[in-house]
Amino acid sequence: MSHPSLRVGLTLLAVLALASVPAWSGDLYQVHLASLIGAYWVLVAGLNLVVGFAGQLSIGHVGLLAVGAYGFAILAGTIGLDPFLALPLCGALGGLGGLLLGLPSLRLPGFYFAMVTMAFALIVGELSLAWGGLTGGGTGLSVPGFPAPFDTPRGQYALILALGAVVTAMTWSVARSMWGRALIAVRDSEVAAATVGVNLFRAKLTVFVFSGITAGVAGALFAALQTYITPDTFVFDIGLFFFVCIIIGGRGSILGPLIGTAMLTALPEMVAPLARLGNFFYGLALLVVVLLVPDGIGRLVATLASRLRPEPHGSHEVRPDLARLRRALGASPREPDAIAPAPLAREALP
């Protein structure tokens, strides 16, 4: 099985495993946890193009998540719009936020760009407190859910899974296209990418706006899952959580960050008796992956799978076209076994 086919097979297996959660899980909280993983993945999938492919250090996407969440709470709750109309509008709000943030900051070097995204997340948190008449201030806002058949935990999960599959397909298509190769070139060497004609700023801005759209949609899904949001819901640690999911999963991979998102979201449940040491386990997981698997979990899974099912090595024997070679050398077609070189011309003696 070739590497592209292997990645497709592993991704389909992961999707089937996620789709089967309501079938084998009798606990609605586990369904809610799977829905939360899906909502986070909608954001991480878009952010992965920014961090994993374009190499931009964005650690403040929690601000864009908050824009989408408050947008959904206001549009669908306060104003009373249909939730299915509010959902794409939240994506548009997130994309607009990404555009306004990216235009002045994407020309900055990596470290300074990371500081700008961090400042943006902090500013959004302060504005959500200051604009109490719109966002509810410290009290927060209640968030309506989606209408039937998506008004139950399993219905919400089905909706989030469908949107996650669409976003995954979009990012997969970008990653496999010439556009994805251009992003990788920008990540590895901006000078080399500019030399071959890649518009650096346009490439960065395009994927950043796309990640803003996915963050806005993820914010709406997240708010509907939470049913109530406050400024404390969108702490800066969540932005670092999204960034760590990509680092642990592996840059330049689609499957890896998905595994990282699922693993880190479920980690607090796996260590529930040691809840106070949650940050310790997050740090330990990051340290182990960076030291032992610097390319990420996705690359490790692909390597193990390829070793279990190695590629067949076919014969590459090259057979010369003797008839064509004889014609080129001027040999007689009646000499099939040997091709004698033409005799050298001798100069006539005086």
Side-chain angles (χ1 to χ4, degrees):
M1 182 184 292
S2 62
H3 291 299
S5 300
L6 178 63
R7 289 193 292 266
V8 171
L10 291 174
T11 303
L12 290 177
L13 182 62
V15 170
L16 290 175
L18 290 173
S20 65
V21 169
W24 55 260
S25 176
D27 188 353
L28 291 181
Y29 180 73
Q30 293 180 356
V31 177
H32 173 81
L33 184 62
S35 299
L36 186 61
I37 292 173
Y40 282 162
W41 169 244
V42 171
L43 184 147
V44 173
L47 180 61
N48 185 34
L49 292 180
V50 177
V51 177
F53 283 82
Q56 304 305 301
L57 302 179
S58 178
I59 56 177
H61 259 58
V62 64
L64 296 172
L65 181 76
V67 168
Y70 275 105
F72 187 80
I74 294 169
L75 292 173
T78 306
I79 298 178
L81 285 181
D82 184 88
F84 287 110
L85 178 60
L87 184 63
L89 291 178
C90 292
L93 285 175
L96 179 61
L99 178 65
L100 295 178
L101 176 61
L103 279 174
S105 62
L106 279 169
R107 299 185 188 275
L108 298 173
F111 173 77
Y112 297 99
F113 176 71
M115 294 299 100
V116 169
T117 60
M118 181 180 71
F120 172 77
L122 297 176
I123 289 172
V124 170
E126 292 300 320
L127 289 178
S128 65
L129 279 172
W131 293 349
L134 184 64
T135 64
T139 305
L141 293 174
S142 61
V143 185
F146 289 93
F150 306 110
D151 55 344
T152 64
R154 288 183 171 84
Q156 282 183 323
Y157 179 74
L159 175 63
I160 292 173
L161 185 65
L163 291 175
V166 170
V167 173
T168 303
M170 293 174 67
T171 55
W172 192 292
S173 178
V174 170
R176 290 173 59 86
S177 66
M178 290 298 295
W179 184 254
R181 295 183 179 92
L183 294 177
I184 293 175
V186 171
R187 180 194 70 191
D188 293 341
S189 174
E190 291 190 2
V191 175
T195 302
V196 298
V198 177
N199 189 318
L200 302 179
F201 181 72
R202 185 174 66 181
K204 294 177 184 178
L205 184 62
T206 301
V207 295
F208 196 75
V209 171
F210 176 75
S211 73
I213 294 173
T214 60
V217 172
L221 298 174
F222 175 76
L225 281 174
Q226 298 298 107
T227 69
Y228 200 91
I229 55 173
T230 67
D232 292 336
T233 308
F234 306 98
V235 294
F236 180 69
D237 290 352
I238 299 180
L240 291 177
F241 165 81
F242 297 142
F243 184 79
V244 171
C245 287
I246 296 174
I247 299 302
I248 287 180
R251 299 191 310 168
S253 169
I254 300 296
L255 179 62
L258 174 57
I259 297 174
T261 303
M263 185 183 74
L264 292 184
T265 305
L267 184 62
E269 300 303 316
M270 293 186 290
V271 296
L274 303 174
R276 295 181 179 179
L277 300 177
N279 290 332
F280 167 77
F281 285 106
Y282 279 132
L284 180 62
L286 179 61
L287 183 63
V288 169
V289 170
V290 169
L291 292 179
L292 300 182
V293 195
D295 291 331
I297 297 175
R299 183 64 58 86
L300 176 62
V301 172
T303 301
L304 293 176
S306 62
R307 289 183 178 179
L308 293 175
R309 192 180 181 92
E311 296 183 13
H313 296 283
S315 175
H316 299 284
E317 180 182 359
V318 178
R319 295 184 178 182
D321 189 347
L322 296 180
R324 185 175 180 182
L325 185 59
R326 281 195 298 268
R327 288 194 298 270
L329 296 178
S332 172
R334 291 174 297 180
E335 301 173 356
D337 297 327
I339 301 176
L344 297 176
R346 295 184 179 179
E347 296 183 0
L349 296 175

